[in-house]
């Protein structure tokens, strides 16, 4: 990620060299030249000396600006690249990944963890480079000035390095823990805010506050331990650094008294000694910050390195315009990560499914909860791959075609409608991004949504709120249906889009669905009699298998599972 920033890195290094070079020259000028100028008593030389210093400081300030701006620019661009790459990776991962990770945790990695990486690339990098140049330059100068004194000073370095290594590893471990706990607090907050209606309906505001406060308290305790370790690290480095100066002053003072060293040379050496001590302290601090950032960076790149379980073929076929025939051939499926059974394998959700759906046919899936209806439907757009067997559309194995060409011809209207927080128009246009306003309105009319939309405060430009919170359930469903109509898919998947609606809303939504299903292959999960009546055939599922298959009349005449389910679930509705 730093590769494309090469010229900015070169510019930053140039500014850094200017700044550090002046910083290294300044003590030498003070130690060797100011004494000569003052001894001569020449005001002209003093003025020239002062102006020379000002010129050096101007160069130093200019170099500092170039360095800071270039490194800041690098940091912001790297953070941009990190966030976009991380989000891009998240959008390509398979649905099972999101079943294993909570939204708040992912948001925490996308925000706070990446922010720590920015600190590493900008502030920490600047400090590290500057202090390293200052340390190496100062050591080279003092080595030329007095070898024995320099060697005496370098005797303290192993202590500094050892302390940095020991404390740094502990800081990295603590930092990773702090970020994990912050992610847990973010998850708690995200769940409480997104589920605020449930929170308020159960009067659990205090409970949610206590959950979040407890997570933050745990995070605070870890953060305070890390702060204490960093403070101890810094204080220890300061003690070692300035203790070294005291030792140098004692050692060099003896040489001045003996006459083997001059006082101006001692002054310059002490100034460089302070710079060496400061550089060591700065490098140690950066090392501690870097260890903290490495913990966050590991969490970020863990996601970037994550691979989807549903992988597109190396040379996928572009699925042409389809008629909509669907076939399941010996399809079995088990969710990865589920608890293993007695034989050590994940329990199968689907078992040896054999099913063919003709183009334009409407098929209803019925069965008890957990029978495998939703899983079977999720295999059609290839949200998951079957453990064994094949799913084909118009004879094409869907594992051989590109996901884009497959999913662009499949429409989904789920039971729990997901709207984005923008306007009604933006939510409908999501079905086809190049659609005109006229096409959007036509889709809304077909979905029985136009009348209520024009009655909203800003009509089609009304903001619906997070997840469509400003609309009723029936209105959200009709917007979702308008989105599917605009997409104009050949295959339509309906997860009982009317099950949670009142009678009036259900009637409007059902009318819209009837228009949407016309001429399309439709697979729908049915919980209500009105939905079943629209189906050409009914698939009765039980424990992951197709138990019965046929029309309503055929299955009722059979007197099997469907007849029993009908008597239990649908008879009262039929009588009503």
């Amino acid at each position: 990620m730093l590769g494309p920033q090469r010229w900015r890195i070169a510019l930053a290094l140039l500014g850094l060299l200017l700044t550090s070079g002046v910083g290294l020259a300044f003590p030498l000028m003070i130690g060797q030249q100011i004494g000569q100028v003052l001894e001569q008593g020449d005001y002209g030389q003093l003025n020239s000396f002062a102006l020379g210093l000002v010129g050096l400081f101007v160069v130093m300030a200019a170099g500092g600006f170039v360095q800071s701006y270039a490194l800041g620019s690098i940091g912001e661009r790297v953070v941009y690249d990190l966030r976009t790459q991380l989000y891009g990776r998240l959008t390509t991962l398979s649905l099972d990944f999101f079943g294993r990770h909570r939204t708040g945790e992912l948001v925490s990695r996308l925000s706070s963890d990446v922010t720590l990486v920015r600190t590493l690339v900008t502030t920490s990098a600047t400090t590290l480079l500057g202090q390293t140049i200052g340390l190496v330059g100062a050591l080279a100068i003092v080595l030329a000035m007095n070898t024995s004194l320099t060697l005496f000073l370098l005797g303290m370095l192993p202590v500094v390095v050892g302390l940095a290594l020991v404390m740094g590893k502990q800081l990295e471990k603590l930092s990773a823990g702090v970020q994990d706990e912050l992610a847990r607090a973010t998850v708690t907050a995200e769940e409480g805010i997104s589920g605020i209606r449930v929170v308020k309906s159960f009067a659990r505001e205090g409970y949610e506050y206590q959950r979040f406060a407890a997570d933050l308290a745990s995070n605070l305790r870890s953060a305070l331990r890390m702060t204490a370790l960093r403070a101890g690290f810094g204080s220890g480095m300061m003690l070692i650094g300035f203790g070294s100066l005291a030792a140098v002053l004692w050692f060099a003072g003896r040489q001045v008294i003996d006459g083997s060293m001059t006082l101006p040379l001692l002054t310059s050496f002490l100034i460089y000694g302070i710079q060496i001590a400061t550089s060591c302290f700065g490098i140690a601090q950066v090392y501690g910050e870097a260890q903290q950032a490495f913990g966050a960076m590991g969490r970020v790149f863990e996601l970037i390195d994550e691979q989807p379980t549903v992988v597109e073929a190396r040379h996928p076929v572009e699925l042409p315009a389809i008629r909509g025939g669907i076939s399941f051939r010996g399809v079995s499926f088990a969710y990865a990560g589920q608890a293993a059974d007695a034989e050590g394998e994940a329990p199968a959700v689907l078992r040896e499914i054999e099913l063919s759906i003709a183009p334009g046919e409407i098929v209803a899936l019925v069965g008890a909860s957990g029978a495998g209806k939703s899983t079977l439907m999720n295999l059609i757009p290839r949200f998951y791959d079957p453990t064994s067997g094949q799913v084909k559309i118009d004879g094409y194995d869907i594992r051989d075609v590109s996901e884009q060409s497959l999913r662009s011809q499949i429409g989904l209207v789920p039971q729990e409608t997901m709207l984005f927080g923008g306007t009604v128009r933006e939510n409908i246009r999501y079905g086809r991004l190049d659609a005109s306003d006229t096409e959007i309105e036509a889709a809304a009319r077909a979905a029985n949504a136009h009348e209520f939309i024009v009655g909203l405060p800003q009509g089609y430009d009304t903001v619906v709120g997070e997840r469509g919170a400003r609309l009723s359930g029936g209105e959200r469903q009709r917007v979702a249906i308008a989105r599917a109509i605009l997409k104009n898919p050949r295959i339509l998947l309906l997860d009982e889009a009317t099950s949670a609606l009142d009678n009036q809303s259900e009637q409007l939504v059902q009318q819209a669905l009837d228009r949407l299903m016309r001429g399309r292959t439709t697979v729908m999960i049915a919980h209500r009699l009105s939905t079943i009546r629209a189906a050409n055939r009914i698939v009765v599922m039980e424990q992951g298998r197709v138990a019965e298959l046929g029309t309503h009349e055929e299955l009722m005449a059979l007197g099997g599972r469907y007849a029993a389910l009908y008597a239990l679930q649908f008879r009262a509705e039929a009588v009503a």
Side-chain angles (χ1 to χ4, degrees):
M1 290 186 172
L2 286 171
Q5 311 297 327
R6 285 187 295 271
W7 69 269
R8 291 187 179 87
I9 294 175
L11 192 62
L13 287 174
L14 176 62
L16 189 61
L17 288 171
L18 285 173
T19 306
S20 301
V22 173
L24 288 170
F26 175 68
L28 203 59
M29 291 178 64
I30 292 295
Q32 295 185 359
Q33 296 185 24
I34 189 64
Q36 297 175 8
V37 171
L38 294 179
E39 286 176 1
Q40 293 177 5
D42 188 335
Y43 286 105
Q45 285 191 0
L46 181 60
N47 293 338
S48 299
F49 180 76
L51 285 174
L53 285 180
V54 171
L56 279 178
F57 295 148
V58 169
V59 172
M60 189 176 186
F65 173 80
V66 169
Q67 163 202 323
S68 297
Y69 179 78
L71 279 175
S73 175
I74 292 166
E76 295 299 333
R77 283 176 167 83
V78 167
V79 165
Y80 170 82
D81 290 341
L82 261 181
R83 283 201 171 118
T84 52
Q85 187 171 339
L86 179 55
Y87 186 74
R89 170 59 68 190
L90 287 173
T91 58
T92 63
L93 292 176
S94 308
L95 288 184
D96 58 343
F97 170 84
F98 297 95
R100 301 192 307 268
H101 294 80
R102 299 159 86 179
T103 303
E105 176 199 351
L106 301 179
V107 171
S108 176
R109 297 198 194 192
L110 196 59
S111 55
S112 62
D113 286 359
V114 174
T115 301
L116 279 177
V117 177
R118 174 203 286 150
T119 303
L120 177 66
V121 175
T122 54
T123 308
S124 300
T126 306
T127 305
L128 178 62
L129 289 172
Q131 300 291 4
T132 301
I133 292 174
L135 175 63
V136 173
L139 282 173
I141 292 172
V142 295
L143 188 61
M145 291 170 60
N146 189 304
T147 304
S148 61
L149 196 54
T150 304
L151 293 176
F152 179 81
L153 180 61
L154 288 177
M156 306 295 176
L157 282 183
V159 181
V160 174
V161 173
L163 181 64
L165 290 175
V166 172
M167 304 289 270
K169 288 299 180 184
Q170 295 182 43
L171 278 171
E172 181 180 3
K173 183 178 178 180
L174 274 175
S175 173
V178 168
Q179 292 303 112
D180 285 339
E181 288 165 352
L182 182 60
R184 279 197 293 273
T186 305
V187 167
T188 302
E190 189 272 335
E191 290 178 343
I193 293 170
S194 62
I196 192 65
R197 290 190 179 187
V198 176
V199 172
K200 289 188 173 296
S201 69
F202 284 91
R204 291 292 182 263
E205 294 91 340
Y207 172 74
E208 288 298 324
Y209 171 80
Q210 291 298 332
R211 282 182 64 206
F212 184 64
D215 287 341
L216 279 188
S218 177
N219 176 255
L220 175 62
R221 286 191 293 271
S222 296
L224 288 176
R225 285 196 297 271
M226 186 172 68
T227 302
L229 185 62
R230 288 184 63 181
F233 184 33
S235 299
M237 294 300 299
M238 187 180 297
L239 177 62
I240 293 171
F242 289 103
S244 300
L245 281 180
V248 167
L249 182 60
W250 171 80
F251 186 81
R254 295 172 63 86
Q255 293 185 0
V256 171
I257 293 173
D258 293 343
S260 58
M261 179 183 287
T262 64
L263 187 58
L265 184 62
L266 174 60
T267 303
S268 296
F269 198 96
L270 284 177
I271 295 175
Y272 281 115
I274 292 172
Q275 187 164 350
I276 290 170
T278 305
S279 296
C280 288
F281 175 71
I283 291 172
Q285 287 285 86
V286 170
Y287 180 74
E289 292 173 1
Q291 294 303 316
Q292 182 180 351
F294 288 153
M297 196 182 298
R299 287 163 48 88
V300 170
F301 280 97
E302 180 185 359
L303 290 187
I304 290 179
D305 293 338
E306 184 80 27
Q307 296 299 317
T309 53
V310 176
V311 182
E312 195 165 83
R314 179 170 296 181
H315 302 292
V317 176
E318 288 298 312
L319 187 64
I322 60 174
R323 296 174 61 242
I326 307 171
S327 62
F328 297 86
R329 294 287 175 262
V331 169
S332 297
F333 179 80
Y335 286 103
Q338 282 192 325
D341 56 19
E343 298 178 358
E345 297 181 354
V349 180
L350 298 176
R351 296 176 174 86
E352 296 295 325
I353 300 292
E354 294 284 344
L355 177 65
S356 294
I357 301 172
E361 186 179 15
I362 299 174
V363 172
L365 306 178
V366 301
S369 177
K373 304 183 297 295
S374 295
T375 302
L376 186 66
M377 180 180 284
N378 284 333
L379 295 181
I380 297 173
R382 208 185 170 205
F383 291 154
Y384 302 95
D385 277 337
T387 308
S388 62
Q390 292 178 308
V391 181
K392 293 186 175 183
I393 293 180
D394 285 359
Y396 289 88
D397 188 326
I398 62 174
R399 284 175 293 199
D400 296 333
V401 304
S402 72
E403 293 179 358
Q404 174 65 28
S405 65
L406 170 68
R407 292 172 184 167
S408 65
Q409 302 188 67
I410 298 176
L412 172 65
V413 180
Q415 182 175 356
E416 296 182 7
T417 304
M418 169 62 195
L419 297 185
F420 298 96
T423 65
V424 175
R425 189 188 313 279
E426 289 168 344
N427 273 282
I428 297 176
R429 182 173 275 137
Y430 204 79
R432 203 177 84 239
L433 297 179
D434 61 349
S436 66
D437 290 345
T438 303
E439 291 171 318
I440 290 172
E441 183 177 327
R445 288 183 183 276
N448 282 343
H450 177 72
E451 288 73 16
F452 91 78
I453 292 174
V454 295
L456 295 173
Q458 284 81 42
Y460 281 84
D461 295 316
T462 301
V463 176
V464 301
E466 186 176 3
R467 295 178 175 268
R470 296 183 181 180
L471 304 180
S472 69
E475 290 169 344
R476 289 196 297 271
Q477 282 289 33
R478 280 178 277 167
V479 170
I481 292 170
R483 185 166 60 192
I485 290 173
L486 189 64
K487 186 178 184 181
N488 192 26
R490 289 298 307 146
I491 295 176
L492 183 63
L493 307 177
L494 303 176
D495 188 359
E496 189 48 275
T498 64
S499 63
L501 303 179
D502 58 73
N503 290 335
Q504 183 178 2
S505 296
E506 180 190 358
Q507 185 178 5
L508 291 170
V509 170
Q510 191 61 54
Q511 290 173 358
L513 288 174
D514 290 341
R515 296 191 191 103
L516 178 59
M517 290 187 293
R518 198 170 297 147
R520 309 177 201 275
T521 304
T522 303
V523 180
M524 54 186 177
I525 296 175
H527 298 290
R528 304 182 81 158
L529 181 61
S530 55
T531 308
I532 292 179
R533 281 175 173 161
N536 302 122
R537 285 191 301 164
I538 299 166
V539 178
V540 183
M541 299 196 65
E542 187 174 81
Q543 296 183 353
R545 300 182 185 274
V546 175
E548 295 174 353
L549 175 64
T551 65
H552 169 72
E553 292 75 15
E554 290 170 346
L555 295 179
M556 289 299 293
L558 188 63
R561 293 176 176 84
Y562 176 76
L565 183 66
Y566 181 86
L568 180 67
Q569 186 170 343
F570 301 121
R571 186 177 298 279
E573 184 183 351
V575 171

